[in-house]
Amino acid sequence: MADIETISYSLAEMKDKYIGKAGSVDREDYEYELKMDVLGQMIRTARKERNLTQEQLGQLVGVQKAQISKLESSVNSASIDTILKVFKALNANIYFNVILENQHLKLV
């Protein structure tokens, strides 16, 4: 029986190899999409914790149920104003971190 060599890679190494090195356009696009997906999941989770339907949340925000559904699946097409309204309707705090080269700004 032949020995099987095991090779393991870190997540960062896998991203570098299959998506692109950090700072590349493909990697930046990937990281952005990932963050938008996570934000949509956070909206869905907070809505469910508040026992609200998409329609009810839409009424609180002033948008249609379809817009809430789109937000939960991907917030790419949403304005920051809509996202802020959604979190306000959910009684949830949202914090922004802005990182400029060698500087960290925090807006609370």
Side-chain angles (χ1 to χ4, degrees):
M1 195 166 171
D3 290 333
I4 298 175
E5 183 179 341
T6 303
I7 300 173
S8 63
Y9 297 98
S10 69
L11 179 59
E13 290 170 327
M14 295 296 288
K15 286 180 184 178
D16 286 349
K17 183 175 181 176
Y18 293 104
I19 298 168
K21 296 279 185 192
S24 69
V25 173
D26 287 342
R27 181 71 169 267
E28 293 295 320
D29 288 347
Y30 167 81
E31 297 292 342
Y32 176 80
E33 291 292 325
L34 183 60
K35 289 174 185 171
M36 295 302 101
D37 287 344
V38 168
L39 187 55
Q41 290 173 10
M42 293 169 94
I43 291 170
R44 178 183 298 115
T45 299
R47 176 183 59 79
K48 288 182 176 184
E49 285 181 7
R50 301 289 191 258
N51 294 312
L52 294 170
T53 65
Q54 289 179 338
E55 186 172 354
Q56 290 168 325
L57 179 56
Q59 290 171 349
L60 291 171
V61 176
V63 299
Q64 298 293 317
K65 174 187 178 246
Q67 179 68 21
I68 299 299
S69 178
K70 285 180 187 178
L71 281 173
E72 290 182 356
S73 62
S74 175
V75 295
N76 285 337
S77 62
S79 70
I80 191 70
D81 186 52
T82 301
I83 294 169
L84 291 173
K85 285 179 182 177
V86 166
F87 280 106
K88 183 175 181 178
L90 292 167
N91 294 319
N93 293 322
I94 186 168
Y95 299 94
F96 294 94
N97 285 319
V98 177
I99 299 173
L100 302 174
E101 288 185 42
N102 300 322
Q103 290 182 314
H104 185 87
L105 305 174
K106 195 171 197 176
L107 176 63
V108 179

